[in-house]
Amino acid sequence: MAALGPYASFIVTSYGLVTAVVALLIVWIFLDYRQQTARLRELEASGIVRRSGRSAAEI
Amino acid sequence: MSLIDLANPTKFLALTARVLPWLAGATVILLLIGLYQSAMAPDDYQQGATVKIMFIHVPNAWLSMFVWGIMSIASLGTLVWRHPLADVAAKAAAPIGAAFTFLALVTGSLWGRPMWGTYWEWDARLTSVLILFLMYLGLIALWRAVEDPSRAARAAAVLTLVGAINIPIIKFSVDWWNTLHQPASVIRMGGPTLDNAFLIPLLIMAIAFSLLFITLHLAAMRNEILRRRVRSLQMMQANQQRAA
C-alpha cells in the first residue's frame, strides 16, 4: 500500500470494485444457466417434448 | 460450420459449449498478464501511482461504447434481417454493457478525485457516459416490461439505434467541448501519445477485457436461448393442460 503513494485507497478501491462487479457478473450468469437447465429438466420430467422430439435439456 | 448455421440456436449452443472453455482460459491468462504488467508499470511523473487506475478505467470505458455498438448491429439484425439470434445477442449484452459503463464511471470518479480535486463534474464526457448508463438501464427495463419477446425485441432495437447517436458524442465530446476530461491519447490521429511503459499494459488489459466481454456475452446468450426454450415449452404445457 505504501508503494502506491498517498492515493493508495483510490487505487485499491478501483481495482477491488472492478473485481467485485466482474465476479458478480460471472456468478449471475452461472446461476442463471443452472436455473434455466433445471427448469428444462423439470419440464422434460413432466413429459413436455420439443417439436423436434429432442430432449428439452439438450444443449 | 458456416456462418448461416449459427442462425440455428441449437447449432449456436453446440458451438458455444465448444469455445467457452477456451475463451475463459485465454481471458484468465491475459488478465493475469495484464494485471502483472499494470502492477510493474512505473509511476507517472505527474500522477504518481494513480496512473494505475487507467489500466482498468480505459478498458471499461472502451467496452461501454463497444457493447452499445454490438447491440446496434444486433438491432439492425432484428429490424432488417429478422435474424433469430439478433435480439438474443442484444438482450444478453445489455447487462454486461451496463456493468462496464458503471465501472467506467466509478473508476473515473475515483481517478478524478485525486487528479482533478472532484469526484464528478457535469462536463460533456462524464455527462454523456452517464446518459449511456441510464440508456442501458432503460433498455433492460424495457425488455423486462414487455412479456412478448418479439414485441420487446422490436421496441428495444429502435431504442438502441436511436441511442447509438450518443456513441460519437461520447467519443468526440473531448474535442467538441471544453471538458475537464483529457483528450484521446490512444485512438487518435497521429498515433498514441502514451509511452510504451503505459501503452503496452493498457493494450493487454483492453484485449483481456474484450475477451472477458466475448466470454460473458456468449454465456449470457446461451442462457437467453435456454430461457426462450423454457418459455415455449411452458406455453406448450399450458396448451396441453387446457386441451385435456
Side-chain angles (χ1 to χ4, degrees):
Chain A
M1 284 285 274
L4 293 176
Y7 301 115
S9 60
F10 291 92
I11 302 166
V12 172
T13 307
S14 297
Y15 277 80
L17 198 73
V18 171
T19 307
V21 171
V22 169
L24 269 176
L25 267 178
I26 293 168
V27 169
W28 169 62
I29 289 171
F30 176 72
L31 290 180
D32 190 27
Y33 176 70
R34 276 184 43 175
Q35 190 181 21
Q36 300 312 320
T37 47
R39 280 183 186 169
L40 285 170
R41 277 195 211 98
E42 280 171 27
L43 284 161
E44 192 176 24
S46 67
I48 303 297
V49 185
R50 289 164 64 193
R51 286 190 191 93
S52 62
R54 279 183 286 195
S55 160
E58 181 192 323
I59 305 258
Chain B
M1 185 182 287
S2 70
L3 199 61
I4 198 80
D5 285 337
L6 294 179
N8 180 325
T10 302
K11 286 186 176 164
F12 179 83
L13 287 178
L15 175 81
T16 307
R18 277 209 304 274
V19 300
L20 266 180
W22 293 98
L23 273 173
T27 304
V28 170
I29 291 167
L30 261 182
L31 270 177
L32 289 175
I33 295 170
L35 285 170
Y36 176 75
Q37 294 273 338
S38 305
M40 292 296 120
D43 288 356
D44 181 70
Y45 79 105
Q46 281 183 321
Q47 302 186 34
T50 46
V51 74
K52 292 189 191 305
I53 297 177
M54 173 181 72
F55 302 124
I56 46 172
H57 168 72
V58 174
N60 279 298
W62 280 344
L63 279 169
S64 68
M65 293 184 282
F66 177 75
V67 174
W68 196 279
I70 294 286
M71 287 166 56
S72 300
I73 295 167
S75 298
L76 281 176
T78 299
L79 293 174
V80 180
W81 301 291
R82 296 176 188 271
H83 192 289
L85 288 181
D87 176 56
V88 169
K91 189 179 177 188
I96 306 169
F100 287 138
T101 312
F102 169 76
L103 288 174
L105 283 167
V106 178
T107 54
S109 183
L110 286 165
W111 193 11
R113 180 68 183 89
M115 293 301 103
W116 300 338
T118 180
Y119 284 107
W120 184 260
E121 187 69 34
W122 289 102
D123 80 355
R125 171 58 69 86
L126 277 65
T127 307
S128 54
V129 175
L130 178 64
I131 290 170
L132 178 69
F133 179 60
L134 295 176
M135 290 192 316
Y136 272 118
L137 297 186
L139 262 182
I140 294 166
L142 177 67
W143 266 304
R144 284 175 176 267
V146 182
E147 200 183 338
D148 177 10
S150 62
R151 277 186 57 217
R154 283 192 295 276
V158 171
L159 190 60
T160 305
L161 288 173
V162 172
I165 296 165
N166 194 34
I167 301 302
I169 293 175
I170 294 172
K171 168 70 184 151
F172 296 110
S173 57
V174 287
D175 303 320
W176 293 342
W177 292 285
N178 185 22
T179 65
L180 197 55
H181 196 282
Q182 67 178 65
S185 49
V186 180
I187 301 172
R188 60 186 284 281
M189 300 284 281
T193 55
L194 279 177
D195 188 87
N196 278 346
F198 302 113
L199 184 62
I200 291 169
L202 178 60
L203 291 179
I204 294 172
M205 286 296 273
I207 297 168
F209 269 84
S210 302
L211 272 180
L212 174 69
F213 164 67
I214 294 168
T215 307
L216 294 177
H217 189 213
L218 284 180
M221 281 180 73
R222 177 179 63 181
N223 292 352
E224 185 57 30
I225 291 168
L226 295 180
R227 192 179 346 274
R228 290 177 188 207
R229 193 177 278 179
V230 167
R231 185 176 186 274
S232 63
L233 289 176
Q234 283 173 335
M235 287 172 74
M236 279 172 64
Q237 188 179 38
N239 286 338
Q240 283 179 10
Q241 284 168 352
R242 207 175 298 139

